[in-house]
Amino acid sequence: TLTAPAPFADERSCQCQAPHEKLTIAQARLGTPADRPVRVYADGIFDLFHSGHARALMQAKTLFPNSYLLVGVCSDDLTHKFKGFTVMNETERYEALRHCRYVDEVIRDAPWTLTPEFLEKHKIDFVAHDDIPYSSAGSDDVYKHIKEAGMFVPTQRTEGISTSDIITRIVRDYDVYARRNLQRGYTAKQLNVSFINEKKYRFQNQVDKMKEKVKNVEEKSKEFVYKVEEKSHDLIQKWEEKSREFIGNFLELFGPDGAWKQMFQERSGRMLQAFSPRQSPSSSPTRGRSPSRSPSPPWVFNKASPPSSPKAASASLSSMSEGDEDEK
C-alpha cells in the first residue's frame, strides 16, 4: 500500500545495486529477479494532469512483470521554448506526478531529447511512449534513435481527452468562467478582464440571478399546486369512504331489514299486548252459597216481567229486601 508520494531522483541515489546488464524485451517480459527490476522511463510535460496521462503511466508500469517506473518532467523554460505556454508551472506539474500511484520516481528538469549519458546515468532499460512520431526540436521524431536501439516500448493514447482539449474548452467557455470567478470574488485585474467586459459580466450575473429566482418561484408554485391537488385528492377519497360508511350504517339501521324496523315491530307487539283484554280463566273457585240460588245484584230487574205500576215496583223491592234479610 502506497502511503507516501514518489521520491525525486535528485534527492536520492539509484537504488538498483545489481550490475546493469542490457535486457531485451523478450527477457524483460519473462521476468527478472526481485533485485533487478526492469527500469522503464516515460517523459512528458504533464500539464493539467488528467486521466489520459495516468492511463499512459499505468501501461508503462505494467509492461513487464517486475518493473520500476521513472517519469521525467520537463521544466518551464524547456517547455515554453519547444512547445508553448503551460497552465501549470513546473513545481505544480512535478507534484502532480509524485502523487500518481504508478510512478516510482520523478526526474525533474528532464531533457527534451534523451542522450546516451542520461540513459546510462539513470540505468534506463526501456522508454515508454505512444508510437506516433513526435516531431520537435528540428527532428521528425525525437524517439527515433531510441527505437533504432531497440529500447522503445509503445503505449496507447486515450482518445477523447488531452491537455489541448481541456484548454480548448476553457477558451470556448471563457465568458462563463470569467463571470463565475468574478462572482466568487476575483478582481477584473486578476482575470485580465477590461472595465467594459467586467460591467457586462456583472450585469449578466445579475440577470442570471433574477432568472434563477423566477425559476425557483415557478418550481415552488408547481410544488404547491401539486401538494394542493394531492391533498384534495386525499380529502375526496376520505369523503367517499366516509359517505359509503354513512350510507351503509343508515341502511343497516333504517333499511327493509334494519334494526329500527325490528325494534319498531317489537314495541308494536308489546303495545298491542298491553291494550288487548286478557281472557278469563276457565275454572274459578265457588263461594259457599246455596246451589239453588245464585246471587244477582239488586238493581237487576227481571226482564221477563217488568213491574206494571209503581206500587208493584215498591212491592218487589220490599220483597227483595226481605229476601236479603232471610239470607243474612
Side-chain angles (χ1 to χ4, degrees), residues 37-294:
V38 180
R39 296 176 68 83
V40 180
Y41 176 80
D43 61 354
I45 310 303
F46 301 105
D47 191 20
L48 296 175
F49 189 80
H50 51 74
S51 62
H53 294 141
R55 287 175 62 87
L57 296 176
M58 179 187 68
Q59 294 178 58
K61 176 67 176 177
T62 57
L63 285 171
F64 308 108
N66 182 21
S67 62
Y68 185 87
L69 180 61
L70 300 95
V71 179
V73 184
C74 299
S75 65
D76 286 345
D77 292 339
L78 203 60
T79 304
H80 297 166
K81 179 181 178 181
F82 290 107
K83 187 170 184 178
F85 191 72
T86 58
V87 178
M88 301 169 64
N89 59 44
E90 59 184 26
T91 303
E92 294 169 335
R93 293 185 285 114
Y94 297 154
E95 288 296 322
L97 265 298
R98 290 186 71 194
H99 292 84
C100 178
R101 64 186 301 178
Y102 310 113
V103 178
D104 294 308
E105 190 174 319
V106 175
I107 301 176
R108 292 183 285 195
D109 193 13
W112 196 260
T113 302
L114 301 179
T115 62
E117 293 77 17
F118 179 82
L119 297 175
E120 181 62 28
K121 176 183 177 180
H122 295 282
K123 298 183 179 181
I124 297 171
D125 293 309
F126 300 100
V127 177
H129 199 273
D130 61 78
D131 203 13
I132 301 174
Y134 195 83
S135 59
S136 179
S139 173
D140 294 335
D141 189 0
V142 295
Y143 298 104
K144 181 178 180 181
H145 64 290
I146 303 294
K147 294 176 181 177
E148 291 174 350
M151 297 175 63
F152 186 84
V153 184
T155 58
Q156 298 296 323
R157 292 178 62 91
T158 302
E159 298 296 332
I161 186 168
S162 67
T163 301
S164 300
D165 291 339
I166 295 174
I167 294 174
T168 301
R169 297 179 206 172
I170 296 172
V171 173
R172 181 191 61 197
D173 301 326
Y174 169 77
D175 289 351
V176 176
Y177 295 125
R179 287 165 52 192
R180 182 189 67 179
N181 289 342
L182 282 173
Q183 193 173 6
R184 291 180 175 180
Y186 287 87
T187 63
K189 185 178 180 180
Q190 290 174 320
L191 297 174
N192 196 23
V193 174
S194 66
F195 177 80
I196 296 176
N197 285 336
E198 178 189 4
K199 298 303 178 185
K200 181 183 73 172
Y201 293 150
R202 294 193 183 279
F203 176 74
Q204 289 175 343
N205 286 337
Q206 294 297 327
V207 172
D208 289 345
K209 285 182 180 179
M210 292 298 297
K211 289 181 179 179
E212 189 68 24
K213 288 182 179 179
V214 172
K215 184 178 179 181
N216 291 336
V217 170
E218 289 179 353
E219 290 178 354
K220 289 181 179 179
S221 62
K222 289 179 181 178
E223 184 178 358
F224 175 76
V225 171
Y226 175 75
K227 287 183 178 179
V228 170
E229 290 179 352
E230 187 177 9
K231 192 69 176 178
S232 61
H233 178 72
D234 292 340
L235 290 174
I236 292 172
Q237 187 175 4
K238 289 180 180 178
W239 181 83
E240 289 178 351
E241 292 176 358
K242 291 293 182 182
S243 63
R244 292 193 195 99
E245 183 179 355
F246 176 77
I247 293 171
N249 293 336
F250 182 84
L251 293 175
E252 186 178 354
L253 185 61
F254 298 102
D257 298 326
W260 179 260
K261 181 177 180 181
Q262 295 178 1
M263 184 176 63
F264 180 76
Q265 290 177 352
E266 290 177 0
R267 290 190 177 182
S268 299
R270 291 176 184 174
M271 291 178 66
L272 291 174
Q273 187 177 2
F275 284 111
S276 62
R278 296 182 179 179
Q279 296 180 359
S280 58
S282 59
S283 61
S284 58
T286 56
R287 297 181 181 179
R289 307 180 198 174
S290 171
S292 60
R293 293 182 63 182
S294 60

